[in-house]
Each structure stands twice: as structure tokens, then as C-alpha cells.
Amino acid sequence: MTEILPSDDTGPRRGRNIRPIYLSSVGTIFLIANLSYYVQFPGLLSSVGVEPAASRVIPKAFPDLQQLLEQNDVDGDSFIETLCMIGVVLSSIVASGLVQHGSLFAVLTAMYYFLTTTGGQMYSF
């Protein structure tokens, strides 16, 4: 048995090289997802798209956000596109390995949850 698994390869040090690779991979997945949403948004979900999301979903699912956007004269389409670009920047930071903190993953997950919620039928499958 010692010929197959030498004693110096076992222990807590063995998996330390995997963690940054795994977290960078998750960051890359978020990057691809946010870029994909950003590219598809104008044709599918913008105010002139197939299924307008900003005027339909945001008031129902996120009424406080809708009120905040109206108070500050922010267009729903601009807000969603800005959110996508923030997601691209944050996921690029995570994918590059500069910062791989749990709070970034929580923010990316919350932002993408918001985007898929506003996506409605187009992003339900």
C-alpha cells in the first residue's frame, strides 16, 4: 500500500493547490453567464425586446427597487445593463485570482439571481 500512496503525499497540504483553481473556475462561469446575459438582454428583455422585463418584472418582484429607481430617474434597462457590467468586472477579478473572497461570490450570486428573476420565461430553462 505504501508503494501506491507514499506517506508524503497524504495530509492537509495535498488539496491547497486545487482551491484557487476551483474558485477561478467558478469566477469564469460567472463571467460567461454575465457576458451572455449582457449580449442577449437588448434583443430579449429590454424595453424594445421580445419580452420587456424592466417594466414587467421589477415592479412585481422587487417593489422597493422599482420605487428607488423611479425616485432617482433611472431607466430599468440601464440599471440591468449596469448590473451585468458590474458582474462582468467582479467575476473577472475573481477569475483572475486577484481576490477570491466569499463576499464576492455572495454578491455575484445575488446579482445573478436578480438577473435571472428579471429574465422571466426567457431564463427559466
Side-chain angles (χ1 to χ4, degrees):
M1 189 72 148
T2 57
E3 295 170 3
I4 297 172
L5 291 173
S7 62
D8 59 347
D9 283 346
T10 59
R13 295 179 297 139
R14 188 171 185 207
R16 290 185 191 244
N17 295 335
I18 302 299
R19 183 177 183 266
I21 295 170
Y22 175 74
L23 294 177
S24 292
S25 300
V26 173
T28 304
I29 291 169
F30 272 117
L31 176 65
I32 293 168
N34 282 301
L35 279 174
S36 174
Y37 195 100
Y38 183 76
V39 169
Q40 295 176 24
F41 177 75
L44 293 177
L45 301 171
S46 69
S47 58
V48 294
V50 175
E51 186 180 3
S55 61
R56 177 185 51 81
V57 176
I58 293 177
K60 291 179 186 174
F62 305 98
D64 294 334
L65 178 64
Q66 177 67 24
Q67 185 179 17
L68 182 67
L69 291 175
E70 287 175 356
Q71 287 174 353
N72 295 320
D73 293 327
V74 176
D75 181 29
D77 290 345
S78 301
F79 175 74
I80 292 173
E81 287 181 347
T82 303
L83 199 63
C84 284
M85 293 314 297
I86 291 171
V88 167
V89 169
L90 291 179
S91 58
S92 297
I93 291 170
V94 170
S96 69
L98 292 175
V99 179
Q100 294 180 335
H101 195 270
S103 60
L104 277 178
F105 289 101
V107 168
L108 285 169
T109 302
M111 286 173 37
Y112 197 72
Y113 172 75
F114 172 79
L115 293 174
T116 55
T117 301
T118 57
Q121 190 67 20
M122 296 293 178
Y123 289 93
S124 65
F125 52 90

